């Protein structure tokens, strides 16, 4: 029997998800078996924790050489342009989000990588999808370039699995909230900024209106979901486009109230911008029955437990 020693490459390792996912993967596979890579300088929290390589995922030849040279068996592709930044430069967002995925899928096929992870988003859904408990299979007509690129990416993942047997797995993440690495230009970023401002200035100006409910998730749940999906036996992975993934759902008014319960003099005002229109097209909540049935997904955090943990971990930065 051949035992495959896994060697993992994380692309986009210095981003909001990448820093925490790389840290967790290093615990699982050993520090030297997880190579972090990004366009940016190495993130402070990754320094000294394992190998780091500067790499542009758009340069397919360089990426291919990196994968061969380091005997990479698994790739986690996290590099992307997110929703709000994408609307400012749609052609660039389409180019980066699509070509990065095609580069990785093509190399995975050629080098017979054991597994690939690529995240999709709740942004695949649009105004014609049901807003509450949005099902896995429904009308999908995204209106942002980010959502369009994620939906096209999902189709490519399914295609490479079906035609070339690439074991690519994917989650439609909700908006992610975390304190270790800053978010990178999304519509759900308000739910991270609000904690920093509550501690720093005790005042926050929110760019979404108070009744905008969106699906959200605390980062420890998102990291666990990613690892549980990737560790699940191949035969359990029945969806090869991307799994709906549910955590919690709240509005700016509700997250404000949950923080105010701990910081009574915290105030919030509203100054709505272009991100409201993006949010208006997204679901309020997600039906993740398939993830629960296929690989036993179950979130742990709710708004209250997340708020306690966020404030506890951020307060030392602002004291
Ligand atoms: P992020 O913007 O924080 O991080 C992305 C990283 O990719 C950055 O460090 C950036 O420098 C790097 N990068 C960009 N272009 C690159 C290139 N050409 N080559 C190499 N690296 C490059 O994003 P994130 O929030 O960590 O998101 C990671 C993935 O998860 C993305 O695909 C995103 O669409 C998806 N996602 C994120 C959320 C969320 O709320 N954070 C929700 C849904 C889906
Ligand atoms: N959090 C992401 C964004 O707002 C959703 O994919 O862009």
């Amino acid at each position: 029997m051949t035992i495959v020693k896994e060697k993992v490459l994380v692309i986009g390792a210095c981003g909001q998800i990448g820093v925490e996912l790389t840290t967790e993967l290093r615990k699982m596979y050993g520090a030297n078996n997880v190579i972090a890579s990004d366009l940016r300088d190495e993130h402070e929290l990754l320094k000294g924790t394992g190998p780091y390589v500067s790499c542009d995922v758009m340069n397919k030849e360089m990426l291919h050489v990196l994968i061969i040279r380091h005997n990479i068996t698994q790739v986690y592709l996290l590099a992307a342009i997110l929703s709000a930044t994408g609307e400012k430069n749609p052609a660039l967002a389409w180019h980066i989000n699509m070509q990065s995925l095609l580069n990785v899928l093509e190399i995975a096929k050629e080098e017979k990588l054991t597994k690939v992870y690529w995240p999709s988003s709740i942004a695949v859904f649009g105004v014609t999808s049901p807003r509450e408990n949005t099902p896995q299979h429904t009308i999908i007509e995204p209106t942002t370039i980010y959502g369009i690129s994620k939906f096209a990416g999902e189709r490519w993942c399914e295609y490479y699995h079906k035609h070339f047997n690439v074991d690519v797995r994917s989650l439609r993440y909700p908006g992610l909230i975390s304190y270790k690495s800053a978010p990178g230009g999304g519509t759900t970023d308000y739910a991270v900024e609000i904690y920093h401002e509550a501690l720093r200035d005790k005042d926050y100006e929110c760019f979404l209106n108070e009744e905008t409910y969106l699906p959200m998730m605390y980062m420890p749940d998102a990291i666990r979901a990613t690892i549980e999906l990737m560790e699940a036996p191949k035969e359990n992975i029945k969806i090869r486009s991307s799994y709906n993934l549910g955590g919690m759902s709240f509005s700016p008014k509700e997250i404000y109230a949950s923080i105010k319960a701990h910081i009574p003099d915290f105030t919030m005002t509203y100054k709505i911008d272009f991100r409201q229109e993006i949010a208006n097209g997204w679901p309020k909540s997600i039906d993740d029955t398939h993830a629960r049935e296929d690989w036993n997904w179950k979130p742990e955090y709710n708004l209250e437990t997340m708020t306690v943990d966020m404030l506890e971990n951020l307060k030392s930065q602002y004291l």
Side-chain angles (χ1 to χ4, degrees):
M1 190 173 80
T2 317
I3 296 177
V4 181
K5 189 167 185 279
E6 298 293 345
K7 198 90 189 279
V8 180
L9 175 66
V10 183
I11 303 170
C14 297
Q16 189 192 9
I17 301 170
V19 168
E20 299 202 38
L21 188 57
T22 301
T23 306
E24 214 45 50
L25 290 169
R26 283 182 171 158
K27 286 184 201 156
M28 288 171 62
Y29 291 107
N32 287 330
N33 294 321
V34 179
I35 296 174
S37 79
D38 203 294
L39 272 184
R40 302 194 217 175
D41 289 342
E42 189 175 13
H43 193 281
E44 281 303 313
L45 292 176
L46 293 180
K47 282 185 180 163
T49 70
Y52 179 77
V53 177
S54 177
C55 174
D56 181 353
V57 67
M58 302 298 280
N59 185 336
K60 190 179 170 209
E61 285 68 37
M62 190 179 154
L63 180 66
H64 203 154
V65 168
L66 176 70
I67 285 174
I68 291 172
R69 187 175 291 160
H70 290 272
N71 299 313
I72 297 297
T73 60
Q74 294 187 28
V75 172
Y76 286 70
L77 171 58
L78 303 174
I81 295 201
L82 276 79
S83 61
T85 312
E87 289 309 285
K88 291 180 187 161
N89 194 340
L92 182 72
W94 171 258
H95 182 53
I96 290 187
N97 293 358
M98 281 294 81
Q99 199 56 50
S100 58
L101 177 61
L102 289 173
N103 286 352
V104 169
L105 289 174
E106 204 41 38
I107 296 170
K109 179 183 90 173
E110 284 174 37
E111 299 305 325
K112 299 194 171 23
L113 299 186
T114 57
K115 281 179 219 171
V116 172
Y117 178 75
W118 170 84
S120 183
S121 162
I122 52 161
V124 293
F125 300 112
V127 286
T128 50
S129 311
R131 299 290 302 283
E132 314 245 1
N133 286 323
T134 309
Q136 176 75 40
H137 302 290
T138 184
I139 297 169
I140 298 192
E141 295 179 331
T143 50
T144 60
I145 194 64
Y146 176 68
I148 294 169
S149 69
K150 288 296 183 188
F151 187 44
E154 290 187 2
R155 306 319 306 152
W156 275 117
C157 289
E158 197 179 273
Y159 189 91
Y160 267 76
H161 176 257
K162 184 173 174 198
H163 294 284
F164 307 122
N165 205 23
V166 174
D167 187 354
V168 51
R169 305 178 184 198
S170 177
L171 297 171
R172 289 173 177 157
Y173 288 133
L176 301 181
I177 294 130
S178 66
Y179 59 87
K180 289 188 181 163
S181 181
T187 303
T188 56
D189 293 7
Y190 91 86
V192 178
E193 290 169 7
I194 191 171
Y195 288 103
H196 289 267
E197 297 307 321
L199 288 161
R200 185 166 33 215
D201 293 334
K202 298 200 164 111
D203 184 36
Y204 179 59
E205 190 177 80
C206 185
F207 57 77
L208 297 182
N209 76 42
E210 63 176 16
E211 292 299 336
T212 311
Y213 281 85
L214 287 170
M216 298 282 192
M217 180 173 282
Y218 197 32
M219 191 61 86
D221 272 343
I223 299 297
R224 189 169 53 79
T226 308
I227 286 168
E228 286 177 5
L229 172 80
M230 291 300 278
E231 290 296 297
K234 224 181 209 176
E235 57 277 15
N236 288 29
I237 309 301
K238 305 207 174 84
I239 291 174
R240 290 295 180 164
S241 50
S242 188
Y243 276 96
N244 273 12
L245 186 72
M248 55 186 105
S249 168
F250 57 77
S251 63
K253 191 171 157 186
E254 288 179 352
I255 190 172
Y256 169 64
S258 96
I259 297 171
K260 199 171 166 63
H262 299 270
I263 306 175
D265 52 348
F266 175 41
T267 55
M268 180 156 88
T269 53
Y270 294 89
K271 190 175 177 199
I272 310 311
D273 70 18
F274 73 101
R275 288 169 281 193
Q276 184 67 52
E277 195 185 329
I278 300 177
N280 287 347
W282 288 356
K284 294 181 175 181
S285 57
I286 292 290
D287 176 351
D288 61 3
T289 306
H290 288 276
R292 288 171 188 263
E293 287 179 357
D294 291 358
W295 44 276
N296 298 321
W297 168 242
K298 195 166 183 277
E300 283 176 1
Y301 283 88
N302 59 30
L303 178 56
E304 285 319 308
T305 52
M306 175 176 76
T307 292
V308 168
D309 203 59
M310 282 291 285
L311 294 176
E312 182 58 32
N313 281 290
L314 281 175
K315 71 181 179 201
S316 60
Q317 279 187 32
Y318 299 106
L319 285 180

